[in-house]
Amino acid sequence: MERTRGGDLGMKEFNKNEDIITLAIESSCDETACAILKNGREVLSNIISTQIETHKKFGGVVPEVASRKHIENIDIVVQEALDESGLTFDDITHIAVTYGPGLVGALLVGLSYAKSLAFTLNKDLVGVNHIEGHLSANYIEHKDLKPPFITLIVSGGHTHLVEVKDYGVYEILGKTKDDASGEAFDKVARALGLGYPGGPIVDRLAKQGNPEAIDFPRACLHNEGYDFSFSGIKSSVLNYLNSMKMKNIEVVKEDVCASFQEAVVDVLSQKAIKACKDKGYKTITLSGGVAANSALREKMTKLCQIEGLDLKYPPMLLCTDNAAMIASAGYYRYINGRRDGMDLNAVPNLKINQG
Ligand code: KG4
Ligand code: ZN
């Protein structure tokens, strides 16, 4: 079977009047997940098995351990998703699966499982880009959301400002030149000895801190384009912590968290608003793990109100990795003719508009 996009090779006809049931699998990092959606927007089940407790003791995700855990969990997670939906494999129209970007070993577990399902059940296979999955989480929560709009995708591996021209049609306006925003949260948390994943802990501590206590840099804020850079602020935090240690002054972790978070949120929100205004759109969506950040949500809500823009973001559960978002993206790929063959491979550094 050949991999095909939009052609009729390996593609079964589907009845446009029938409901389309997507079973999706996600295993790109440290969550083994399976979800079943009806017509791309209605969640029938959404099962997530997280490995956070396992990786916590190493201070981050250990790729080899993640792959092994996916192998242990995937069967159970898929069965649970079916049970919760009340459906059987016969009811599934097609299988969607994340094939990149992500950890290659982790991706291969979900991909091999999805291929086996598609092959044995004789269902169509649709490969999904994980970053496209993140932005599609908004289609589930906001039933009226339709392209075009501007989206800010902020996660542990990615920071992208994207113009969504249509379903599956993207123009990248800006992205990070170095660390992803979530990565910066995780690294700062590690330097403060706060544990993994750092984002939610920094978010919580920041609530008791003063965001103006330390003036961390806001890289790229006044640059022409929409690119970001977060390695400078991470280094600034590390330098600050070192200098305080040398001077024997105790660090107020809450203030460091609040000031760091404020600087990151300032840049993300101002760039996103600028892109939306420059491009003449009325809607901005947020997605990815960092979209769960309370300061980002608050600042974006405030700025969007001032500018008369419509802001949408997914509920917490759909911000971090899950398979419901993969099912939604997979559904739109499916109805637009995307089909993949048994030769679909994992692509660890897959770009958003690359496949
Ligand atoms: O989307 P995600 O689950 O995985 C990737 O695709 O990377 O995002 C995980 C990232 C981690 O870096 C985590 O620290 C961050 O999202 N994160 C947060 C919050 N919740 C998760 N960052 C800031 N504030 C939060 N509340
Ligand atoms: Zn993700």
Side-chain angles (χ1 to χ4, degrees), residues 1 3 23-25 74 78 94-99 107-127 340-347:
M1 215 196 297
R3 179 172 162 204
L23 182 150
I25 291 174
I74 195 152
V78 172
H94 73 110
I95 312 285
V97 62
T98 306
Y99 74 104
L107 286 165
L108 281 171
V109 177
L111 183 57
S112 310
Y113 196 96
K115 283 200 231 175
S116 317
L117 274 186
F119 186 75
T120 49
L121 301 170
N122 193 25
K123 309 277 183 193
D124 284 317
L125 178 73
V126 176
D340 288 284
M342 290 299 124
D343 59 346
L344 180 67
N345 206 351
V347 184

Side-chain angles (χ1 to χ4, degrees), residues 26 28-31 130 134 154-158 181-186 196-204 261 287-294 316 319-322 325:
E26 153 66 37
S28 65
C29 191
D30 58 346
E31 265 89 31
H130 181 83
H134 271 302
V154 275
S155 72
H158 318 281
S181 46
E183 194 180 346
F185 270 93
D186 293 338
Y196 172 86
I201 313 172
V202 170
D203 191 351
R204 202 176 60 240
Q261 180 175 272
S287 57
V290 182
N293 184 267
S294 56
M316 298 290 190
C319 284
T320 43
D321 288 350
N322 65 87
M325 67 186 198

Side-chain angles (χ1 to χ4, degrees), residues 64-84:
E64 182 56 31
V65 176
S67 313
R68 283 165 195 263
K69 282 273 160 199
H70 285 310
I71 293 171
E72 283 170 24
N73 293 335
I74 195 152
D75 229 2
I76 303 163
V77 165
V78 172
Q79 192 54 53
E80 266 186 49
L82 272 180
D83 292 348
E84 194 175 294

